Amino acid sequence: MTDRPRAGFGGALDVDGAAEDVGRLVAALAGGEEGVGTAESLADGGAVGVSVADAREPHEPLVYVSEGFERLTGYTRAEAVGRSRRLLDGPDTDPDTVARLRTAAEEGRAVTVELRAERADGTAFVDEVTAVPVADGTGAVTRLLELHRDVTERVRRRRGLADSEARFRAVAEAVDDAVLTVDPGGTVRYANPAVEGVFGHPPGELVGEPLSVLFAEDGDDPVARVLAAESEPVETTGRHSDGSALALSVSATAHEHGDRRLVTGVVRDVTERRQYGAVLTALGERAEELTRSGDRATVHRTAVEAAGALVGVDGAALYEFDGRDCLEPVARSPAETAETAETAETAETAELPAVERGAGPLWSVFAEDRGRLVEGGAPCEALGLESVFAVPVGAHGVLVAGASDAASVTPARRAACRLLALFLAAALDRVEHEHDRRERDRRLDRLEGRLERLDRLNGLLRRVNRALVSAPSEAAVAAAVPERVAASDGYAFAWLCVTDSEGRLDLQQCAGVDRERVGRLLAADGEGPLWELVAAAARTGAVQAAGGVLDDPDWAAHRTAALEDGYRSVAAVPVSVGDHTERVLVVHGRDGDTFDERERGVLEELGRTVGDALGRAGRAAAIRTDRRTEVELSVSDDRLVTNRLASALDAGVEYVGAIRADGPTLRAFFRFEGAPPDAADRLAGLEGVADVQPLAAEDGDGLYQLVLAVPPLIDALRRHDARLRALSTADGTTRVTAVLAGDADVRGLVEEVSAAYDGTELRARRGDAEPVDTRETFREELLERLTEKQRDALQTALYGGFYEWPRASTGEELAATRDIAASTFQHHLRAAERKLVSAVLDPGEL
């Protein structure tokens, strides 16, 4: 800020040579209201923006703005007049500077300041404000005259000049050469710390002194030659503070610093001049090479090569900080001495030891961030040199350069090493930044890909669910699913097949490809990888996938089809109804990596959803029909679990009921008659029996809960939607009574059971076994109302003898079979009982 007196208030006002015009404005405004018109005519013709505010009002409203003000600020005269003279203040306006304006006005002083301001459209600029308080004839300030000028560019140049000076100082203070800046009169304006090393004078003592104090009086005029900034270096004799003569070479250059012309010279020992000048030039080239390096290894290699080739040392090495407690060697240039290696190649591959935390001078150089000359010891021995100069490379590590004799590690070479270390640190910072940026870009790309895939998969599930909700039958479900799946981005086509126990595949529906094409695909595969994929999905109940089929030799038979049909991966999705998988959905992906873990998880959920829909459709079809067929089978094969139970106990077996358990197991309730006292132990030792719990047993006889592997008999009944009505075993034969709904495939059921058990006979077959049309409907609707836990509790209580009198088991005993608290079991049981009773007493609720 610059304070200047106002005309008529103790001195002349100079505003860019416009003192006369400003004085006329002030004089006009001092004339009162009659002079305002004159002031306006003067201001509108000016190049700067002029505003006049009424100082008598509390908020100092503007009473006039010039055309220049309108052009500068974007506010029209109509918009500005009447508003506060602080109209241009913005969020970045400095309140202290505003306070100075206010103080100057109160003291009757003219003042010029620079303010961050905002135009009418919100754009920011730097406003140079010259404020002149105008008094009337009584001396009271009545008007505040302000001249506004956009000095944004000037401020930018000034700041750029300051930044340039800061960069200059950073470089100058990092070198070992003396750097001097002088003005045209030969007065020293800047001296770097190295000046003391050359001349013996502290830099602070030289600033303000004539440059001639540093040069000997030998008849030549080196000062004039320096100030002339001749293109050739000036070789002359200098004078040390102790009076001794110095052989110097001065390289000077003239430059503009603001509105001043300065000359900056680099002073160095003549004996080092040529070598060091060449080093600086080469280092600049290597700095560009370092800047272009795209990875850390290239930067490392370039740095040690530069140290050896440019600095002139015999060997160099770079140690990088591992981020924890160690400096690891990452690059080296060989020492070419007979003592260190037989050949340069062996020296390059010789292993350098790592430097542990706190161990030796190299760690000290890194920790203290200060270069150091090391003579002898581990760092020198590692490179086979007598002395080395170690310099820190920012936060990255340490650069080591040395020679076979100590005298060769000159100050000039040390300075070159420091410069190289600065360039190296900057290059490593850039590489690190670029690496981080690429990593961020890769993470963003991966995230975007995951989001796109998630959106695609969610869309697939929504489309399939909508189709399943409206599908009226199993056939409609089977047709809708491949169509919706094949329409999803990322999939080429899909098809649904039915599998049987012998591994045969029966194509049911396809989409995105015709049936004939799928048929040829299966025919070409035989029992190859596609068949194995489908069979494994049906066997395990888990999604199976194969990727990169074009490159997999096992899928060679599919190469032509994959190229023609546009698929690169295949997934087989099991579609299970209950615990049985009889259908598999096969999806062909367009990319080799389509079916990753996330994709397989979604497809597995899709398979369960489709299986549930098929099960509901089948049950609905059974409910709608009024035809029932009752069949009675006898099975004498010991592979049937009930025959093994009866044989082990030498007792009669009566099936009470069963509850599905987790996985391929069944919680079955049996009543034994004539069983021995150690019945539980005998049952526990049988193959296929995972757990035995007596519920209401006395001396062996009574009710038991057994956890069994699901028998093939139960699987067969489930696949044919048959309801088990009765099962009992006596004399080594089990009699099974089951009811099938609708157009039952009795023959298929008998054949499947016979295939699983020898000695299977169809004893009886009765049509319309029971009038179950309304009863079945009522039962299905009631079961739909029960939660899974309520149904489990109800079945456990029924099959466990809880409702017999006297009770065969208590609530605590039944809760223990489920490994839950008795209170929890009672809660679920009571809730289920309420629903049953309300359904019976008030059927209208169903």
Side-chain angles (χ1 to χ4, degrees), residues 215-223 225 236-237:
F215 295 93
E217 298 177 2
D218 56 359
D220 190 10
D221 188 2
V223 175
R225 295 172 62 188
T236 186
T237 303

Side-chain angles (χ1 to χ4, degrees), residues 118-188:
E118 280 191 1
R119 294 185 172 89
D121 61 3
T123 58
F125 71 103
V126 181
D127 185 12
E128 182 187 75
V129 182
T130 298
V132 183
V134 181
D136 61 10
T138 66
V141 176
T142 61
R143 295 283 191 272
L144 293 173
L145 169 66
E146 289 185 344
L147 306 181
H148 303 267
R149 188 168 55 175
D150 184 352
V151 294
T152 305
E153 183 61 23
R154 186 182 73 190
V155 171
R156 186 192 66 77
R157 289 197 303 269
R158 188 172 65 216
R159 290 176 179 169
L161 190 62
D163 292 341
S164 176
E165 183 175 350
R167 289 193 296 271
F168 164 75
R169 286 179 177 272
V171 174
E173 294 178 6
V175 301
D176 288 338
D177 286 326
V179 178
L180 294 165
T181 299
V182 297
D183 61 20
T187 302
V188 176

Side-chain angles (χ1 to χ4, degrees), residues 257-524:
H257 187 77
D259 56 358
R260 295 187 301 169
R261 180 180 182 274
L262 300 177
V263 176
T264 297
V266 177
V267 182
R268 65 193 65 144
D269 192 296
V270 169
T271 56
E272 300 289 340
R273 180 185 56 80
R274 291 186 179 88
Q275 176 188 7
Y276 194 52
V279 166
L280 288 177
T281 302
L283 279 178
E285 296 174 355
R286 287 303 178 102
E288 293 183 5
E289 187 176 346
L290 287 172
T291 301
R292 294 192 300 269
S293 299
D295 58 85
R296 299 184 75 87
T298 304
V299 172
H300 296 160
R301 185 171 60 255
T302 302
V304 295
E305 288 175 356
L310 303 180
V311 181
V313 295
D314 297 323
L318 179 62
Y319 291 79
E320 190 170 48
F321 182 48
D322 67 355
R324 296 183 299 277
D325 53 11
C326 185
L327 290 169
E328 295 281 355
V330 293
R332 69 171 294 178
S333 64
E336 299 178 357
T337 61
E339 293 81 7
T340 57
E342 294 181 3
T343 66
E345 182 179 359
T346 57
E348 285 186 10
T349 57
E351 182 177 355
L352 293 174
V355 177
E356 302 294 335
R357 178 185 295 274
L362 295 190
W363 184 268
S364 299
V365 167
F366 179 66
E368 298 169 7
D369 194 27
R370 185 174 58 189
R372 177 177 176 182
L373 179 65
V374 181
E375 295 183 341
C380 298
E381 293 173 0
L383 289 170
L385 302 170
E386 288 190 8
S387 60
V388 297
F389 183 67
V391 60
V393 183
H396 299 284
V398 174
L399 175 65
V400 179
S404 55
D405 63 283
S408 298
V409 188
T410 61
R413 286 174 171 170
R414 296 179 209 171
C417 283
R418 289 191 179 96
L419 275 177
L420 178 59
L422 288 175
F423 293 139
L424 175 56
L428 290 173
D429 286 340
R430 182 191 57 78
V431 169
E432 193 170 272
H433 173 75
E434 287 297 315
H435 176 269
D436 292 342
R437 184 187 60 79
R438 287 193 295 269
E439 281 299 312
R440 287 194 300 271
D441 290 345
R442 281 193 287 267
R443 285 196 297 270
L444 289 173
D445 289 343
R446 289 194 295 269
L447 178 59
E448 183 178 358
R450 287 196 293 268
L451 290 176
E452 290 178 354
R453 171 173 289 189
L454 182 62
D455 182 63
R456 176 175 63 80
L457 294 176
N458 285 337
L460 169 62
L461 291 177
R462 286 194 299 270
R463 289 192 298 273
V464 171
N465 283 331
R466 283 197 296 267
L468 295 181
V469 167
S470 60
S473 64
E474 290 183 75
V477 171
V481 172
E483 180 181 349
R484 300 307 189 279
V485 172
S488 178
D489 292 340
Y491 300 150
F493 57 92
W495 45 281
L496 185 70
C497 66
V498 178
T499 66
D500 59 21
S501 58
E502 296 182 5
R504 289 187 293 266
L505 307 182
D506 181 17
L507 179 60
Q508 191 172 10
Q509 292 288 344
C510 60
V513 67
D514 55 47
R515 296 179 65 90
E516 181 181 355
R517 189 71 176 173
V518 177
R520 289 201 303 270
L521 197 67
L522 292 172

Side-chain angles (χ1 to χ4, degrees), residues 596-617:
D596 59 7
E597 183 177 357
R598 185 184 298 273
E599 192 99 4
R600 293 196 301 272
V602 172
L603 290 177
E604 189 166 336
E605 179 64 28
L606 176 66
R608 287 193 292 268
T609 301
V610 176
D612 291 342
L614 288 170
R616 287 193 302 271

Side-chain angles (χ1 to χ4, degrees), residues 4 22 102 143 160 193 197 202 231 238 483 494 653 691 711-712 759 802 807 810:
R4 302 186 179 120
V22 174
R102 188 179 299 110
R143 295 283 191 272
S231 58
E483 180 181 349
V653 179
D691 185 57
F802 185 76
R807 282 182 174 168
T810 66

